[in-house]
Amino acid sequence: MAKVGGSRGSQGRPSRPGRNASGKRAAKGGASRAGAKKPTTPDRPEGPAPIEGPFVLGVIPGATPGKWVDTWHERLPEVEIELRPIAVADQRAALLGGELDAALVRLPIDQAGLHVIALYDEVPVVVAAADSHLMAVDELDLADLVGEVIVVPQDDVLGVDVPGGVEASFSAPRDSEEAIAIVASGVGTVVVPMSIARLHRRKDADYRPLRDGPVSTVGLAWPAGGTSPAVEAFVGIVRGRTANSSR
């Protein structure tokens, strides 16, 4: 019977302190049995994924991303941001076609395959010749447009219905810029979001807010199926998160 505190190896000899059964010295800090696994260190938590550029942002006409771009440059000066103009008619295709990381778009948009958040609403305005009688007041209602020729461009985003308005006798202008040039000559009026009127502002045309007209919502959209660190960073900027906020 073995003595208390003693042990015998495979050869029947007592084990010596610091040696294994074969008589070899055991590794310091290790188990006395051969083949014992070394203790493992716990995994360290990983930091945020690096942000790689360029970050390509599509921008529809009239959108003003300036303040967000400035914040991007302040927080991520080493990451390039590229602004790419896109037409409203092409905004969805550009996002799904892999041309863009994200885009400022006009809503509504078919959201299948996209993440979309609304950012702000734009006031509709009536644009007419600078000397038009409509420009004599500070604001207009739809009722003020009864009997007026309503020019609707091909890139119209409001779809406003003007009861009592007169349909233009000529083909629809190809875009809002052309429509504003037409009404500046004294032919009719056009209703557009305020940013579009400002974008194509002319000395011979002016605009007034349309109080009961439909607003136009600008949103941020990006492809679904995995949001990149760059998109997460831009979403945080437009939502007003601070630089120290977690993504």
Side-chain angles (χ1 to χ4, degrees):
M1 182 174 179
K3 295 181 180 180
V4 175
S7 63
R8 294 182 181 273
S10 59
Q11 303 295 328
R13 295 176 302 205
S15 299
R16 295 170 60 184
R19 295 181 181 272
N20 57 25
S22 61
K24 295 181 181 180
R25 185 175 296 276
K28 292 182 179 180
S32 62
R33 295 193 306 271
K37 294 182 179 179
K38 294 181 179 180
T40 58
T41 57
D43 293 335
R44 295 181 179 179
E46 296 182 358
I51 298 176
E52 300 180 354
F55 173 62
V56 183
L57 178 69
V59 183
I60 43 93
T64 53
K67 63 179 180 180
W68 299 322
V69 173
D70 289 343
T71 302
W72 179 281
H73 287 315
E74 292 171 2
R75 296 184 185 178
L76 302 164
E78 74 286 356
V79 182
E80 179 186 358
I81 181 170
E82 177 186 339
L83 302 183
R84 188 170 298 177
I86 56 172
V88 173
D90 302 329
Q91 59 187 13
R92 177 176 163 79
L95 282 164
L96 296 180
E99 303 173 28
L100 310 170
D101 293 305
L104 295 176
V105 299
R106 287 204 182 273
L107 306 183
I109 185 175
D110 181 355
Q111 298 190 22
L114 297 174
H115 294 298
V116 180
I117 56 176
L119 298 178
Y120 59 89
D121 293 334
E122 282 196 70
V123 174
V125 299
V126 177
V127 185
D131 58 358
S132 169
H133 69 280
L134 294 172
M135 301 297 106
V137 296
D138 293 331
E139 294 181 317
L140 295 167
D141 295 312
L142 288 171
D144 296 318
L145 302 182
V146 173
E148 299 289 337
V149 174
I150 308 301
V151 179
V152 181
Q154 294 179 27
D155 65 350
D156 174 54
V157 296
L158 293 177
V160 60
D161 179 25
V162 181
V166 178
E167 183 179 352
S169 60
F170 46 85
S171 300
R174 69 176 183 276
D175 55 30
S176 297
E177 182 178 13
E178 184 175 313
I180 291 175
I182 291 173
V183 302
S185 68
V187 180
T189 64
V190 60
V191 182
V192 296
M194 183 179 286
S195 68
I196 298 298
R198 289 175 172 172
L199 177 65
H200 302 304
R201 190 156 194 171
R202 305 164 53 102
K203 292 182 179 180
D204 53 356
D206 206 348
Y207 62 85
R208 295 291 184 270
L210 183 61
R211 288 182 293 199
D212 52 353
V215 299
S216 177
T217 302
V218 174
L220 177 67
W222 64 97
T227 301
S228 71
V231 172
E232 288 182 353
F234 193 76
V235 170
I237 288 172
V238 301
R239 283 183 163 170
R241 296 175 190 159
T242 64
N244 295 326
S245 299
S246 60
R247 294 200 305 245

